[in-house]
């Protein structure tokens, strides 16, 4: 069977990951699977604070950068050691995750966007611990980490779409025929989704 055009488009980088996710949302609408829909919408809109973050969005490489006055010297865009923060604040940097939408991540990778998070509000903590006066503090993410996130989403999308195609046939109509839906197939799709995107940790509650 010839591969669905969407799979070809993703594999050849003919469309953005954002567009691929929008098409997948249409394809999977008939499955009535809340886990799948929630994941797609979270990738499109960004993850909320209390949502489960996939492993591929965790452990992001970063540097802490500051500008300010250190002793008698004024410095600009210099590394700020993590021990300059209190222990309570340091705990925040133990597991860095990226919650931004796929659109933002793609813009950062493709257009050289700003991959950083303003942390100037923590200047008081640094001053209390070290006496360093910070005019600006920011967390600078590694661009390579954003490339890795997109690569992970792309490969997982292809695997998931190949599974859907195996279960329901060609997906070029961006639809799944209701007549092809069976409980076994829906359970298989839900299980495969959990394995592909959350390492099997998401409950299968879409059937």
């Amino acid at each position: 069977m010839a591969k669905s055009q969407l799979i070809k488009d993703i594999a050849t980088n003919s469309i953005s990951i954002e567009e691929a996710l929008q098409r997948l949302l249409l394809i999977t609408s008939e499955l009535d699977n809340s886990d799948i829909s929630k994941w797609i919408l979270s990738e499109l809109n960004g993850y909320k604070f209390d949502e489960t973050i996939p492993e591929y969005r965790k452990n992001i490489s970063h540097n802490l950068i500051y500008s300010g006055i250190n002793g008698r010297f004024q410095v600009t865009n210099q590394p700020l050691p993590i021990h300059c923060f209190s222990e309570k604040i340091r705990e925040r940097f133990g597991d860095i995750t990226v919650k931004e939408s796929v659109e933002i991540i793609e813009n950062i990778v493709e257009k050289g966007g700003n991959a950083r998070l303003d942390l100037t509000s923590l200047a008081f903590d640094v001053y209390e611990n070290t006496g360093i006066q910070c005019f600006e503090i920011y967390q600078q993410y590694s661009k390579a980490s954003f490339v890795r996130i997109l690569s992970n989403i792309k490969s997982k999308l292809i695997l998931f779409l190949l599974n859907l195609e195996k279960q329901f046939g060609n997906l070029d109509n961006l639809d799944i025929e209701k007549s092809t839906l069976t409980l076994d197939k829906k359970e298989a799709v839900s299980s495969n989704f959990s394995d592909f995107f959350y390492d099997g940790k998401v409950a299968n509650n879409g059937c």
Side-chain angles (χ1 to χ4, degrees):
M1 179 178 67
K3 291 292 178 284
S4 301
Q5 188 61 44
L6 177 55
I7 297 174
K8 297 177 185 177
D9 287 344
I10 297 172
T12 58
N13 298 316
S14 298
I15 61 173
S16 66
I17 299 298
E18 181 186 24
E19 183 177 344
L21 287 166
Q22 291 168 342
R23 294 189 192 181
L24 180 62
L25 188 62
L26 289 175
I27 292 171
T28 57
S29 61
E30 291 295 339
L31 295 174
D32 294 325
N33 187 304
S34 60
D35 286 334
I36 295 175
S37 298
K38 184 176 180 181
W39 172 79
I40 296 172
L41 291 173
S42 294
E43 289 293 339
L44 288 172
N45 302 322
Y47 286 81
K48 298 178 181 178
F49 177 77
D50 58 346
E51 287 184 320
T52 301
I53 307 297
E55 291 299 317
Y56 57 80
R57 281 177 169 265
K58 297 180 179 180
N59 301 316
I60 304 303
S61 299
H62 70 283
N63 293 307
L64 298 169
I65 307 295
Y66 84 106
S67 297
I69 298 176
N70 189 342
R72 293 180 297 174
F73 301 96
Q74 183 166 338
V75 298
T76 303
N77 294 331
Q78 294 299 308
L80 181 64
I82 194 170
H83 63 73
C84 292
F85 296 92
S86 63
E87 183 176 355
K88 183 178 180 180
I89 298 298
R90 289 200 299 267
E91 291 176 356
R92 298 187 188 182
F93 304 117
D95 183 14
I96 302 300
T97 61
V98 172
K99 299 181 176 67
E100 284 74 15
S101 68
V102 158
E103 179 187 15
I104 291 175
I105 296 174
E106 287 186 308
N107 283 336
I108 289 172
V109 171
E110 297 172 10
K111 301 177 183 178
N114 195 15
R116 61 188 239 179
L117 176 66
D118 182 33
L119 298 175
T120 307
S121 61
L122 300 178
F124 75 94
D125 187 79
V126 174
Y127 182 76
E128 288 183 353
N129 282 280
T130 66
I132 297 174
Q133 300 179 54
C134 298
F135 305 146
E136 180 184 38
I137 306 173
Y138 60 88
Q139 191 174 42
Q140 182 172 279
Y141 298 118
S142 164
K143 184 176 179 180
S145 295
F146 285 76
V147 172
R148 177 173 58 84
I149 290 172
L150 292 179
S151 178
N152 267 279
I153 296 174
K154 175 181 175 180
S155 61
K156 291 173 184 294
L157 273 174
I158 291 174
L159 287 172
F160 186 56
L161 284 164
L162 285 171
N163 177 261
L164 287 178
E165 189 180 65
K166 181 179 179 181
Q167 297 285 347
F168 304 108
N170 191 280
L171 305 171
D172 284 349
N173 290 330
L174 300 182
D175 195 10
I176 293 175
E177 293 291 337
K178 286 188 177 182
S179 61
T180 66
L181 288 174
T182 64
L183 181 59
D184 287 345
K185 286 185 177 182
K186 292 177 72 174
E187 288 178 344
V189 169
S190 186
S191 177
N192 283 318
F193 166 78
S194 178
D195 290 339
F196 289 151
F197 296 100
Y198 288 96
D199 299 325
K201 299 176 183 177
V202 174
N204 294 334
N205 54 14
C207 299

Short mmCIF file of all heavy atoms in Angstrom, two decimals, residues 43-99:
data_model
loop_
_atom_site.label_atom_id
_atom_site.label_comp_id
_atom_site.label_asym_id
_atom_site.label_seq_id
_atom_site.Cartn_x
_atom_site.Cartn_y
_atom_site.Cartn_z
N GLU A 43 0.84 20.29 22.42
CA GLU A 43 1.97 20.59 21.54
C GLU A 43 1.68 21.84 20.71
O GLU A 43 2.58 22.66 20.45
CB GLU A 43 2.26 19.40 20.62
CG GLU A 43 2.87 18.19 21.31
CD GLU A 43 4.27 18.45 21.82
OE1 GLU A 43 4.92 19.38 21.32
OE2 GLU A 43 4.71 17.73 22.74
N LEU A 44 0.44 22.03 20.30
CA LEU A 44 0.07 23.18 19.47
C LEU A 44 0.00 24.48 20.29
O LEU A 44 0.41 25.54 19.80
CB LEU A 44 -1.27 22.94 18.80
CG LEU A 44 -1.29 21.92 17.66
CD1 LEU A 44 -2.72 21.64 17.22
CD2 LEU A 44 -0.47 22.41 16.47
N ASN A 45 -0.49 24.39 21.51
CA ASN A 45 -0.74 25.60 22.31
C ASN A 45 0.26 25.81 23.43
O ASN A 45 0.29 26.88 24.04
CB ASN A 45 -2.15 25.54 22.92
CG ASN A 45 -3.23 25.41 21.87
OD1 ASN A 45 -3.13 26.01 20.80
ND2 ASN A 45 -4.26 24.63 22.15
N GLY A 46 1.07 24.80 23.71
CA GLY A 46 1.99 24.87 24.85
C GLY A 46 1.40 24.13 26.04
O GLY A 46 0.17 24.02 26.18
N TYR A 47 2.27 23.62 26.90
CA TYR A 47 1.84 22.84 28.05
C TYR A 47 1.56 23.74 29.25
O TYR A 47 2.31 24.67 29.52
CB TYR A 47 2.90 21.80 28.43
CG TYR A 47 2.97 20.63 27.49
CD1 TYR A 47 3.66 20.73 26.28
CD2 TYR A 47 2.32 19.44 27.78
CE1 TYR A 47 3.71 19.67 25.40
CE2 TYR A 47 2.37 18.36 26.90
CZ TYR A 47 3.07 18.48 25.71
OH TYR A 47 3.11 17.43 24.84
N LYS A 48 0.48 23.44 29.95
CA LYS A 48 0.15 24.17 31.17
C LYS A 48 1.02 23.67 32.31
O LYS A 48 1.63 22.60 32.24
CB LYS A 48 -1.34 24.00 31.50
CG LYS A 48 -2.27 24.55 30.43
CD LYS A 48 -3.72 24.31 30.79
CE LYS A 48 -4.65 24.83 29.70
NZ LYS A 48 -6.07 24.55 30.00
N PHE A 49 1.04 24.45 33.38
CA PHE A 49 1.92 24.15 34.51
C PHE A 49 1.67 22.76 35.10
O PHE A 49 2.60 22.07 35.49
CB PHE A 49 1.72 25.22 35.61
CG PHE A 49 2.53 24.97 36.86
CD1 PHE A 49 3.88 25.24 36.89
CD2 PHE A 49 1.92 24.45 37.99
CE1 PHE A 49 4.63 25.00 38.04
CE2 PHE A 49 2.65 24.21 39.14
CZ PHE A 49 4.01 24.49 39.16
N ASP A 50 0.40 22.35 35.17
CA ASP A 50 0.05 21.10 35.85
C ASP A 50 -0.09 19.92 34.90
O ASP A 50 -0.53 18.84 35.32
CB ASP A 50 -1.24 21.29 36.64
CG ASP A 50 -2.42 21.73 35.77
OD1 ASP A 50 -2.17 22.14 34.62
OD2 ASP A 50 -3.56 21.66 36.25
N GLU A 51 0.29 20.07 33.64
CA GLU A 51 0.16 18.98 32.68
C GLU A 51 1.40 18.09 32.67
O GLU A 51 2.51 18.54 32.95
CB GLU A 51 -0.08 19.53 31.27
CG GLU A 51 -1.46 20.11 31.08
CD GLU A 51 -1.70 20.56 29.64
OE1 GLU A 51 -0.79 21.12 29.03
OE2 GLU A 51 -2.82 20.36 29.16
N THR A 52 1.18 16.82 32.33
CA THR A 52 2.29 15.88 32.21
C THR A 52 3.14 16.26 31.01
O THR A 52 2.64 16.40 29.90
CB THR A 52 1.77 14.44 32.04
OG1 THR A 52 0.96 14.10 33.18
CG2 THR A 52 2.92 13.46 31.93
N ILE A 53 4.44 16.40 31.23
CA ILE A 53 5.38 16.79 30.17
C ILE A 53 6.06 15.54 29.63
O ILE A 53 6.63 14.76 30.41
CB ILE A 53 6.44 17.77 30.70
CG1 ILE A 53 5.80 18.96 31.40
CG2 ILE A 53 7.35 18.22 29.55
CD1 ILE A 53 4.95 19.82 30.52
N PRO A 54 6.03 15.31 28.32
CA PRO A 54 6.73 14.14 27.75
C PRO A 54 8.23 14.21 28.03
O PRO A 54 8.80 15.29 28.17
CB PRO A 54 6.43 14.27 26.25
CG PRO A 54 5.21 15.12 26.15
CD PRO A 54 5.30 16.09 27.30
N GLU A 55 8.86 13.05 28.09
CA GLU A 55 10.28 12.98 28.41
C GLU A 55 11.15 13.75 27.42
O GLU A 55 12.19 14.29 27.79
CB GLU A 55 10.73 11.51 28.45
CG GLU A 55 10.17 10.71 29.62
CD GLU A 55 10.59 11.27 30.96
OE1 GLU A 55 11.78 11.61 31.12
OE2 GLU A 55 9.72 11.37 31.85
N TYR A 56 10.72 13.81 26.15
CA TYR A 56 11.55 14.48 25.16
C TYR A 56 11.60 16.00 25.34
O TYR A 56 12.38 16.68 24.68
CB TYR A 56 11.09 14.13 23.73
CG TYR A 56 9.65 14.46 23.42
CD1 TYR A 56 9.25 15.76 23.10
CD2 TYR A 56 8.68 13.46 23.42
CE1 TYR A 56 7.93 16.06 22.81
CE2 TYR A 56 7.35 13.75 23.14
CZ TYR A 56 6.98 15.04 22.83
OH TYR A 56 5.67 15.33 22.55
N ARG A 57 10.79 16.53 26.23
CA ARG A 57 10.81 17.96 26.53
C ARG A 57 11.53 18.27 27.84
O ARG A 57 11.52 19.41 28.31
CB ARG A 57 9.38 18.51 26.59
CG ARG A 57 8.73 18.78 25.22
CD ARG A 57 7.30 19.24 25.38
NE ARG A 57 6.74 19.75 24.13
CZ ARG A 57 6.71 21.04 23.79
NH1 ARG A 57 7.24 21.94 24.60
NH2 ARG A 57 6.17 21.43 22.65
N LYS A 58 12.14 17.27 28.45
CA LYS A 58 12.79 17.44 29.75
C LYS A 58 14.32 17.46 29.61
O LYS A 58 14.87 17.13 28.57
CB LYS A 58 12.38 16.30 30.69
CG LYS A 58 10.89 16.28 31.02
CD LYS A 58 10.57 15.13 31.96
CE LYS A 58 9.10 15.10 32.33
NZ LYS A 58 8.77 13.97 33.24
N ASN A 59 14.97 17.84 30.73
CA ASN A 59 16.44 17.84 30.82
C ASN A 59 17.08 18.67 29.70
O ASN A 59 17.98 18.21 28.99
CB ASN A 59 16.98 16.41 30.79
CG ASN A 59 16.44 15.56 31.93
OD1 ASN A 59 16.38 16.02 33.06
ND2 ASN A 59 16.03 14.35 31.62
N ILE A 60 16.60 19.89 29.57
CA ILE A 60 17.09 20.79 28.53
C ILE A 60 18.35 21.50 28.97
O ILE A 60 18.42 22.07 30.08
CB ILE A 60 16.00 21.83 28.17
CG1 ILE A 60 14.71 21.12 27.75
CG2 ILE A 60 16.50 22.77 27.08
CD1 ILE A 60 14.86 20.18 26.60
N SER A 61 19.39 21.48 28.14
CA SER A 61 20.64 22.15 28.45
C SER A 61 20.43 23.67 28.51
O SER A 61 19.70 24.23 27.69
CB SER A 61 21.70 21.83 27.39
OG SER A 61 21.96 20.45 27.35
N HIS A 62 21.08 24.31 29.49
CA HIS A 62 20.90 25.75 29.64
C HIS A 62 22.09 26.37 30.37
O HIS A 62 22.88 25.68 31.00
CB HIS A 62 19.62 26.03 30.43
CG HIS A 62 19.73 25.64 31.89
ND1 HIS A 62 19.65 24.34 32.31
CD2 HIS A 62 19.93 26.39 32.99
CE1 HIS A 62 19.79 24.29 33.62
NE2 HIS A 62 19.97 25.53 34.07
N ASN A 63 22.18 27.69 30.26
CA ASN A 63 23.16 28.47 31.00
C ASN A 63 22.44 29.62 31.69
O ASN A 63 21.46 30.15 31.16
CB ASN A 63 24.24 29.03 30.07
CG ASN A 63 25.11 27.93 29.48
OD1 ASN A 63 25.66 27.11 30.19
ND2 ASN A 63 25.23 27.92 28.16
N LEU A 64 22.95 30.02 32.84
CA LEU A 64 22.44 31.18 33.55
C LEU A 64 23.38 32.36 33.27
O LEU A 64 24.58 32.26 33.50
CB LEU A 64 22.34 30.91 35.06
CG LEU A 64 21.38 29.78 35.45
CD1 LEU A 64 21.56 29.41 36.91
CD2 LEU A 64 19.94 30.20 35.19
N ILE A 65 22.82 33.45 32.77
CA ILE A 65 23.60 34.60 32.34
C ILE A 65 23.11 35.84 33.09
O ILE A 65 21.92 36.00 33.32
CB ILE A 65 23.46 34.83 30.82
CG1 ILE A 65 23.78 33.55 30.04
CG2 ILE A 65 24.36 35.99 30.37
CD1 ILE A 65 25.21 33.07 30.17
N TYR A 66 24.07 36.72 33.45
CA TYR A 66 23.65 37.94 34.13
C TYR A 66 24.47 39.14 33.68
O TYR A 66 25.57 39.02 33.14
CB TYR A 66 23.80 37.79 35.65
CG TYR A 66 25.19 38.05 36.19
CD1 TYR A 66 25.48 39.22 36.89
CD2 TYR A 66 26.22 37.12 36.01
CE1 TYR A 66 26.75 39.46 37.41
CE2 TYR A 66 27.49 37.36 36.51
CZ TYR A 66 27.76 38.53 37.21
OH TYR A 66 29.02 38.77 37.71
N SER A 67 23.89 40.32 33.90
CA SER A 67 24.58 41.60 33.74
C SER A 67 24.34 42.38 35.03
O SER A 67 23.24 42.35 35.59
CB SER A 67 24.04 42.39 32.55
OG SER A 67 24.26 41.70 31.33
N GLY A 68 25.38 43.05 35.51
CA GLY A 68 25.23 43.80 36.75
C GLY A 68 26.56 44.25 37.30
O GLY A 68 27.53 44.44 36.56
N ILE A 69 26.62 44.40 38.63
CA ILE A 69 27.83 44.85 39.31
C ILE A 69 28.30 43.76 40.26
O ILE A 69 27.57 43.35 41.17
CB ILE A 69 27.58 46.16 40.07
CG1 ILE A 69 27.19 47.28 39.09
CG2 ILE A 69 28.82 46.57 40.86
CD1 ILE A 69 26.84 48.59 39.76
N ASN A 70 29.52 43.30 40.03
CA ASN A 70 30.14 42.27 40.86
C ASN A 70 31.37 42.89 41.51
O ASN A 70 32.40 43.07 40.88
CB ASN A 70 30.53 41.06 40.00
CG ASN A 70 30.97 39.88 40.85
OD1 ASN A 70 31.31 40.02 42.02
ND2 ASN A 70 30.96 38.70 40.24
N GLY A 71 31.21 43.22 42.79
CA GLY A 71 32.30 43.93 43.46
C GLY A 71 32.45 45.33 42.91
O GLY A 71 31.50 46.11 42.91
N ARG A 72 33.64 45.63 42.38
CA ARG A 72 33.88 46.96 41.80
C ARG A 72 33.72 46.97 40.29
O ARG A 72 33.99 47.99 39.64
CB ARG A 72 35.28 47.45 42.17
CG ARG A 72 35.47 47.74 43.65
CD ARG A 72 36.87 48.23 43.93
NE ARG A 72 37.86 47.19 43.62
CZ ARG A 72 39.18 47.39 43.67
NH1 ARG A 72 39.65 48.59 43.95
NH2 ARG A 72 40.00 46.40 43.40
N PHE A 73 33.31 45.83 39.73
CA PHE A 73 33.28 45.70 38.27
C PHE A 73 31.85 45.59 37.75
O PHE A 73 31.01 44.89 38.32
CB PHE A 73 34.08 44.48 37.82
CG PHE A 73 35.52 44.50 38.24
CD1 PHE A 73 35.93 43.84 39.40
CD2 PHE A 73 36.45 45.21 37.50
CE1 PHE A 73 37.25 43.87 39.79
CE2 PHE A 73 37.78 45.24 37.89
CZ PHE A 73 38.18 44.57 39.04
N GLN A 74 31.60 46.29 36.66
CA GLN A 74 30.33 46.13 35.95
C GLN A 74 30.52 45.10 34.86
O GLN A 74 31.47 45.19 34.06
CB GLN A 74 29.86 47.46 35.35
CG GLN A 74 28.50 47.34 34.66
CD GLN A 74 27.87 48.69 34.37
OE1 GLN A 74 28.21 49.69 35.00
NE2 GLN A 74 26.96 48.71 33.40
N VAL A 75 29.67 44.10 34.81
CA VAL A 75 29.80 43.00 33.85
C VAL A 75 28.55 42.90 33.00
O VAL A 75 27.46 43.32 33.40
CB VAL A 75 30.06 41.66 34.58
CG1 VAL A 75 31.35 41.70 35.37
CG2 VAL A 75 28.90 41.31 35.49
N THR A 76 28.73 42.35 31.81
CA THR A 76 27.61 42.21 30.87
C THR A 76 27.62 40.81 30.27
O THR A 76 28.65 40.35 29.77
CB THR A 76 27.72 43.24 29.72
OG1 THR A 76 27.75 44.55 30.28
CG2 THR A 76 26.53 43.13 28.78
N ASN A 77 26.48 40.15 30.35
CA ASN A 77 26.28 38.82 29.75
C ASN A 77 27.38 37.83 30.15
O ASN A 77 28.02 37.21 29.30
CB ASN A 77 26.20 38.94 28.22
CG ASN A 77 24.98 39.70 27.77
OD1 ASN A 77 23.94 39.71 28.43
ND2 ASN A 77 25.09 40.36 26.62
N GLN A 78 27.54 37.66 31.45
CA GLN A 78 28.52 36.72 31.99
C GLN A 78 27.81 35.54 32.65
O GLN A 78 26.68 35.68 33.16
CB GLN A 78 29.42 37.43 33.01
CG GLN A 78 30.30 38.51 32.42
CD GLN A 78 31.26 37.95 31.38
OE1 GLN A 78 31.98 36.99 31.64
NE2 GLN A 78 31.24 38.55 30.20
N PRO A 79 28.44 34.36 32.68
CA PRO A 79 27.83 33.20 33.33
C PRO A 79 27.62 33.46 34.82
O PRO A 79 28.46 34.06 35.49
CB PRO A 79 28.87 32.09 33.11
CG PRO A 79 29.68 32.54 31.94
CD PRO A 79 29.73 34.03 32.02
N LEU A 80 26.48 33.00 35.31
CA LEU A 80 26.15 33.14 36.73
C LEU A 80 26.09 31.74 37.34
O LEU A 80 25.19 30.96 37.03
CB LEU A 80 24.80 33.85 36.90
CG LEU A 80 24.33 34.10 38.33
CD1 LEU A 80 25.28 35.05 39.05
CD2 LEU A 80 22.90 34.66 38.35
N PRO A 81 27.06 31.39 38.20
CA PRO A 81 27.07 30.05 38.80
C PRO A 81 25.80 29.79 39.60
O PRO A 81 25.26 30.69 40.25
CB PRO A 81 28.30 30.09 39.72
CG PRO A 81 29.17 31.17 39.15
CD PRO A 81 28.21 32.21 38.62
N ILE A 82 25.34 28.58 39.57
CA ILE A 82 24.08 28.24 40.22
C ILE A 82 24.17 28.39 41.73
O ILE A 82 23.17 28.64 42.41
CB ILE A 82 23.65 26.80 39.82
CG1 ILE A 82 22.18 26.58 40.21
CG2 ILE A 82 24.56 25.77 40.47
CD1 ILE A 82 21.60 25.30 39.65
N HIS A 83 25.39 28.27 42.28
CA HIS A 83 25.52 28.40 43.74
C HIS A 83 25.30 29.83 44.22
O HIS A 83 25.25 30.08 45.44
CB HIS A 83 26.89 27.89 44.22
CG HIS A 83 28.05 28.66 43.68
ND1 HIS A 83 28.38 29.94 44.11
CD2 HIS A 83 29.00 28.32 42.77
CE1 HIS A 83 29.46 30.36 43.48
NE2 HIS A 83 29.84 29.40 42.65
N CYS A 84 25.14 30.77 43.30
CA CYS A 84 24.82 32.15 43.68
C CYS A 84 23.38 32.28 44.17
O CYS A 84 23.02 33.28 44.80
CB CYS A 84 25.06 33.10 42.51
SG CYS A 84 26.80 33.31 42.06
N PHE A 85 22.57 31.28 43.89
CA PHE A 85 21.18 31.28 44.33
C PHE A 85 21.04 30.50 45.64
O PHE A 85 21.87 29.65 45.98
CB PHE A 85 20.28 30.64 43.27
CG PHE A 85 20.21 31.38 41.97
CD1 PHE A 85 21.08 31.07 40.93
CD2 PHE A 85 19.29 32.39 41.78
CE1 PHE A 85 21.03 31.75 39.73
CE2 PHE A 85 19.23 33.08 40.57
CZ PHE A 85 20.10 32.76 39.55
N SER A 86 19.97 30.78 46.35
CA SER A 86 19.68 30.02 47.56
C SER A 86 19.32 28.59 47.19
O SER A 86 18.97 28.29 46.04
CB SER A 86 18.52 30.67 48.33
OG SER A 86 17.33 30.63 47.55
N GLU A 87 19.39 27.70 48.16
CA GLU A 87 19.10 26.29 47.89
C GLU A 87 17.68 26.10 47.36
O GLU A 87 17.45 25.29 46.46
CB GLU A 87 19.28 25.47 49.17
CG GLU A 87 19.07 23.97 48.96
CD GLU A 87 19.36 23.17 50.22
OE1 GLU A 87 19.82 23.75 51.22
OE2 GLU A 87 19.11 21.95 50.20
N LYS A 88 16.74 26.86 47.89
CA LYS A 88 15.35 26.75 47.45
C LYS A 88 15.22 27.11 45.98
O LYS A 88 14.51 26.43 45.22
CB LYS A 88 14.46 27.66 48.30
CG LYS A 88 12.99 27.56 47.95
CD LYS A 88 12.15 28.44 48.87
CE LYS A 88 10.67 28.33 48.52
NZ LYS A 88 9.84 29.18 49.41
N ILE A 89 15.90 28.16 45.55
CA ILE A 89 15.85 28.58 44.14
C ILE A 89 16.60 27.58 43.26
O ILE A 89 16.16 27.27 42.14
CB ILE A 89 16.42 29.99 43.97
CG1 ILE A 89 15.60 31.02 44.75
CG2 ILE A 89 16.47 30.37 42.50
CD1 ILE A 89 14.16 31.13 44.32
N ARG A 90 17.71 27.05 43.75
CA ARG A 90 18.51 26.10 42.95
C ARG A 90 17.70 24.87 42.56
O ARG A 90 17.93 24.27 41.52
CB ARG A 90 19.77 25.67 43.71
CG ARG A 90 20.82 26.74 43.84
CD ARG A 90 22.19 26.15 44.15
NE ARG A 90 22.21 25.41 45.40
CZ ARG A 90 22.55 25.92 46.58
NH1 ARG A 90 22.88 27.22 46.66
NH2 ARG A 90 22.58 25.19 47.67
N GLU A 91 16.76 24.50 43.42
CA GLU A 91 15.93 23.32 43.13
C GLU A 91 15.13 23.50 41.83
O GLU A 91 14.80 22.52 41.17
CB GLU A 91 14.98 23.06 44.29
CG GLU A 91 15.69 22.59 45.55
CD GLU A 91 14.73 22.43 46.71
OE1 GLU A 91 13.52 22.75 46.54
OE2 GLU A 91 15.16 21.98 47.79
N ARG A 92 14.84 24.74 41.46
CA ARG A 92 14.08 25.00 40.23
C ARG A 92 14.84 24.58 38.99
O ARG A 92 14.25 24.30 37.95
CB ARG A 92 13.75 26.48 40.11
CG ARG A 92 12.88 27.06 41.20
CD ARG A 92 12.51 28.48 40.84
NE ARG A 92 11.83 29.19 41.91
CZ ARG A 92 11.39 30.43 41.80
NH1 ARG A 92 11.57 31.09 40.64
NH2 ARG A 92 10.78 31.03 42.81
N PHE A 93 16.16 24.57 39.08
CA PHE A 93 16.97 24.30 37.90
C PHE A 93 17.36 22.83 37.78
O PHE A 93 18.17 22.46 36.94
CB PHE A 93 18.24 25.15 37.94
CG PHE A 93 17.98 26.63 38.06
CD1 PHE A 93 18.41 27.35 39.16
CD2 PHE A 93 17.29 27.29 37.07
CE1 PHE A 93 18.16 28.71 39.28
CE2 PHE A 93 17.03 28.65 37.17
CZ PHE A 93 17.47 29.36 38.28
N GLY A 94 16.77 21.98 38.64
CA GLY A 94 17.15 20.57 38.63
C GLY A 94 16.63 19.81 37.41
O GLY A 94 17.29 18.89 36.93
N ASP A 95 15.46 20.18 36.93
CA ASP A 95 14.86 19.46 35.80
C ASP A 95 14.19 20.48 34.89
O ASP A 95 13.02 20.79 35.03
CB ASP A 95 13.83 18.43 36.31
CG ASP A 95 13.24 17.60 35.17
OD1 ASP A 95 13.81 17.63 34.06
OD2 ASP A 95 12.20 16.95 35.41
N ILE A 96 14.97 21.00 33.94
CA ILE A 96 14.47 22.05 33.06
C ILE A 96 13.61 21.43 31.97
O ILE A 96 14.03 20.51 31.26
CB ILE A 96 15.63 22.83 32.43
CG1 ILE A 96 16.50 23.45 33.52
CG2 ILE A 96 15.11 23.91 31.49
CD1 ILE A 96 15.76 24.42 34.43
N THR A 97 12.38 21.92 31.84
CA THR A 97 11.48 21.45 30.81
C THR A 97 11.09 22.61 29.89
O THR A 97 11.14 23.78 30.29
CB THR A 97 10.20 20.84 31.41
OG1 THR A 97 9.51 21.85 32.16
CG2 THR A 97 10.54 19.67 32.32
N VAL A 98 10.71 22.27 28.66
CA VAL A 98 10.24 23.27 27.70
C VAL A 98 8.75 23.07 27.51
O VAL A 98 8.31 22.02 27.05
CB VAL A 98 10.98 23.14 26.35
CG1 VAL A 98 10.34 24.04 25.30
CG2 VAL A 98 12.45 23.49 26.52
N LYS A 99 7.96 24.08 27.86
CA LYS A 99 6.51 23.99 27.78
C LYS A 99 5.94 24.77 26.59
O LYS A 99 4.74 24.73 26.33
CB LYS A 99 5.88 24.51 29.07
CG LYS A 99 6.27 23.71 30.31
CD LYS A 99 5.58 24.27 31.55
CE LYS A 99 5.88 23.44 32.78
NZ LYS A 99 7.30 23.50 33.18
#
